[in-house]
Amino acid sequence: MTATVAASPPWGQPNPGIVYAKLVMVALFWGGTFIAGKELAQAMPPAVAAVLRFGVAVLLLLPLAWRSAGGLARLSWRQCVATAGLGLTGIFLYNLCFFSALARMPAGRTALFVALNRS
């Protein structure tokens, strides 16, 4: 039996300082979402906030997906319906519930509710 040695990735070993800095940024952005969402939920109805968040995400991610994959995959009609259904229930409905909760509860309690939710 021969031992195999895992090859290092072509980009080299990651710098631990950069990795930890990225992890801190993730925590800050995730925590900031609840604070910004609370302000948004108080300024407009939850449905409008959900549409805006969903729309901004589409506008930012569509060009990124187009650039990284060289275009979008060709889907059949059935796949388009399934993808739209998953997006509307898994993303849009989540955002609607997220902003509805922020309109009624403190941001810290909402963050705990999301973090402790068993998915």
Side-chain angles (χ1 to χ4, degrees), residues 2-25:
T2 60
T4 57
V5 177
S8 61
W11 54 85
Q13 294 297 324
N15 181 344
I18 293 174
V19 171
Y20 285 114
K22 288 179 179 180
L23 288 171
V24 168
M25 294 302 295

Side-chain angles (χ1 to χ4, degrees), residues 16-119:
I18 293 174
V19 171
Y20 285 114
K22 288 179 179 180
L23 288 171
V24 168
M25 294 302 295
V26 167
L28 290 174
F29 277 109
W30 187 81
T33 299
F34 292 93
I35 297 166
K38 180 70 175 176
E39 294 298 319
L40 199 58
Q42 292 175 344
M44 61 185 63
V48 174
V51 167
L52 286 175
R53 187 175 186 195
F54 189 75
V56 167
V58 167
L59 291 175
L60 292 175
L61 292 176
L62 194 59
L64 182 67
W66 192 279
R67 186 173 150 220
S68 67
L72 298 177
R74 299 231 182 245
L75 301 176
S76 68
W77 174 249
R78 190 175 190 175
Q79 290 171 324
C80 285
V81 170
T83 302
L86 289 170
L88 290 173
T89 57
I91 298 172
F92 179 75
L93 185 60
Y94 169 81
N95 282 308
L96 183 61
C97 293
F98 174 75
F99 286 114
S100 296
L102 283 171
R104 293 167 177 78
M105 296 170 51
R109 187 173 294 170
T110 307
L112 271 175
F113 181 73
V114 170
L116 298 176
N117 185 17
R118 293 175 146 192
S119 317

